[in-house]
Amino acid sequence: MLSALSNVLKITELRQKVLFTLAMFLVFRAGTHIPVPGVNPAVIEQLFTTGNLFGFLDLFSGGALSKFSVFAMSITPYINASIIMQLLTVVVPKFEQWAKEGEEGRKKITQVTRYGTVLLGFIQALGMAYGLKVAIINPGIASILLIALTLTAGTTFLMWLGEQITDKGIGNGISLIIFAGIVSRLPNGLFVIYQYLKAGTITIFNVALFAIIAVTMVVFVIAISQGQRKIPVQYAKRVVGNRMYGGHRTHIPLRVNQAGVIPIIFASSVLMFPVTIAQFINVDWVKTVAGWFAWGTPLQTTLYALLIIFFTYFYTAVTMNISDMAENMKKYGGFIPGLRPGKPTADYLDRIMTRITLAGAIFLAIIAILPNFVVWATNIQGVYFGGTALLIVVGVALDTMKQIEALVLMRHYQGFMK
């Protein structure tokens, strides 16, 4: 690790990329402390201390939502727009054609995603401004529009910031902004644990148990995130002119967690809906129904796990076209040993993918609901240690480290060979 860090610092270009990324992190963190004009922060803070409704979104914004700063929506509209575009690529022929056009097609999809981010961001900002109008000092149409435009501008700036990190820094900029927002909450969580320990609410045993569970979850997430089933593929030999092509062996890596963190986000959004509605409707039966879906209740936990399993299969099926994979393999003379090209290969891949997706879906469900049992076992409350955050942090960290290693190997590979 120290040798790899030394190699990074020796390469001027790589050192500049790291420093640029860190500078963009500072800009992001500074923006989380710039308040939206015309809002009473004390009322917003009270809303966050009375329930868990906004805690999930506040985690991704790095605390900007609880402060109701210009970055309160974080990069959430961009994530939503990207997911929608990914799903539309499968059903809209024009988008599907762009996806197959290589770099030019990706630029077109990125441009549409940007427009979608601004549109979704403005709609979400209007909803937030109207829903939190009790916190607006002078409530009115002009104030709501001003707040909505400010929040949309903040999200648009973060989108631009993420693209700058991708172009001039290291790693995926959007993912790193989410990563920075989540990690920035770590010192606050450690301070809360210290306060509990100081007040005598918890003991050293509770803290040690919490640390053991946390480390175990991290190891578990890394193992599953890196896990894959390698399907062997043999390419037939063919002669073109005086040269021979093919004849080599390779494999198709089918990941256990193909869907990533998307199923947890989908399931959380669905279960948040009734609670969100109940916040703004003062009707007894609506409040009662929303109570059934409160975070940590048996009904919510059960539905949460089932929805995660459902969305894991749904998202994997939408984003991974087994038939095209088998057809492309057949087109280039590839086959799985013991299977005929075409439909038998597609059926085999589909059967394998269904089995490993079940393991990935159960893994996501366990990771998502485990924090409920962590609170029960350790009695440490107020410290968000969710599976969603853990998956994102581990995934982004692994991906960024791989990119750094690739750059170091390309420019200074001798340091790794020694």
Side-chain angles (χ1 to χ4, degrees):
M1 183 67 182
L2 293 176
S3 176
L5 182 60
S6 174
N7 288 330
V8 169
L9 296 177
K10 287 178 182 177
I11 303 172
T12 304
E13 181 185 354
L14 197 53
R15 185 171 63 249
Q16 290 175 349
K17 286 179 176 290
V18 171
L19 292 176
F20 180 83
T21 303
L22 293 176
M24 294 301 100
F25 283 169
L26 290 176
V27 173
F28 166 59
R29 291 308 302 160
T32 58
H33 297 281
I34 302 176
V36 172
V39 175
N40 186 350
V43 178
I44 297 293
E45 186 177 354
Q46 185 180 1
L47 290 174
F48 278 83
T49 57
T50 55
N52 294 317
L53 173 61
F54 301 112
F56 182 77
L57 295 175
D58 189 44
L59 178 73
F60 290 103
S61 64
L65 182 56
S66 58
K67 300 182 182 71
F68 212 69
S69 72
V70 292
F71 293 162
M73 294 194 303
S74 186
I75 207 70
T76 306
Y78 181 86
I79 297 173
N80 296 334
S82 299
I83 293 173
I84 291 171
M85 278 300 299
Q86 203 168 9
L87 297 176
L88 288 177
T89 302
V90 182
V91 297
V92 178
K94 189 66 175 177
F95 294 159
E96 186 177 4
Q97 179 185 344
W98 288 353
K100 295 178 180 178
E101 289 180 356
E103 186 63 30
E104 289 300 318
R106 280 194 293 272
K107 287 181 180 179
K108 295 176 183 177
I109 292 177
T110 301
Q111 191 65 21
V112 174
T113 304
R114 290 170 182 160
Y115 291 135
T117 300
V118 175
L119 178 62
L120 290 177
F122 184 69
I123 294 172
Q124 182 178 336
L126 279 176
M128 287 179 62
Y130 181 78
L132 299 174
K133 61 182 179 180
V134 293
I136 300 177
I137 298 175
N138 295 313
I141 296 177
S143 298
I144 291 176
L145 284 176
L146 175 62
I147 293 172
L149 288 173
T150 303
L151 293 175
T152 305
T155 295
T156 306
F157 177 78
L158 280 182
M159 178 178 64
W160 175 83
L161 200 69
E163 292 178 351
Q164 294 303 306
I165 294 175
T166 302
D167 292 339
K168 302 176 184 178
I170 289 181
N172 184 291
I174 301 298
S175 299
L176 284 172
I177 286 176
I178 300 173
F179 174 87
I182 295 173
V183 172
S184 67
R185 306 290 287 172
L186 182 61
N188 181 64
L190 295 175
F191 180 74
V192 170
I193 293 176
Y194 171 74
Q195 292 291 335
Y196 283 157
L197 197 61
K198 187 177 179 181
T201 309
I202 59 175
T203 64
I204 293 293
F205 174 78
N206 297 119
V207 178
L209 181 60
F210 183 84
I212 292 171
I213 294 174
V215 172
T216 304
M217 286 179 66
V218 170
V219 173
F220 187 41
V221 168
I222 292 174
I224 299 296
S225 298
Q226 297 289 87
Q228 56 183 229
R229 171 74 180 273
K230 296 181 179 180
I231 307 297
V233 178
Q234 177 73 45
Y235 283 89
K237 294 181 180 179
R238 54 195 178 96
V239 178
V240 180
N242 295 325
R243 302 187 65 180
M244 185 176 68
Y245 296 90
H248 63 279
R249 294 177 64 91
T250 183
H251 66 269
I252 301 175
L254 299 180
R255 294 177 57 194
V256 176
N257 184 21
Q258 185 69 34
V261 75
I262 301 300
I264 296 181
I265 296 176
F266 279 2
S268 301
S269 301
V270 171
L271 291 177
M272 275 184 179
F273 183 73
V275 183
T276 306
I277 297 298
Q279 290 285 323
F280 309 114
I281 300 178
N282 192 18
V283 180
D284 292 338
W285 70 268
V286 174
K287 299 287 185 183
T288 303
V289 172
W292 297 344
F293 292 93
W295 182 264
T297 60
L299 177 61
Q300 188 271 345
T301 303
T302 304
L303 289 177
Y304 195 26
L306 293 176
L307 282 173
I308 288 172
I309 293 174
F310 167 76
F311 282 122
T312 301
Y313 273 99
F314 171 77
Y315 191 76
T316 301
V318 168
T319 57
M320 191 171 184
N321 196 323
I322 298 292
S323 299
D324 284 355
M325 188 186 300
E327 189 62 31
N328 290 333
M329 195 189 308
K330 179 181 177 181
K331 184 186 301 182
Y332 292 103
F335 62 93
I336 298 174
L339 291 173
R340 296 179 60 185
K343 191 176 185 304
T345 298
D347 292 341
Y348 174 77
L349 291 174
D350 184 64
R351 186 166 62 252
I352 295 297
M353 199 66 220
T354 300
R355 291 176 180 176
I356 64 175
T357 299
L358 177 61
I362 294 175
F363 153 73
L364 288 177
I366 291 174
I367 285 295
I369 66 176
L370 192 59
N372 297 336
F373 298 98
V374 172
V375 173
W376 171 78
T378 62
N379 200 31
I380 297 178
Q381 301 184 7
V383 179
Y384 188 86
F385 186 71
T388 308
L390 192 59
L391 280 169
I392 292 174
V393 169
V394 170
V396 173
L398 289 174
D399 182 63
T400 305
M401 283 303 299
K402 286 179 181 178
Q403 292 194 34
I404 292 175
E405 287 180 0
L407 289 170
V408 171
L409 284 169
M410 185 169 60
R411 292 173 173 81
H412 194 213
Y413 62 87
Q414 188 178 3
F416 278 87
M417 299 298 290
K418 288 183 178 179

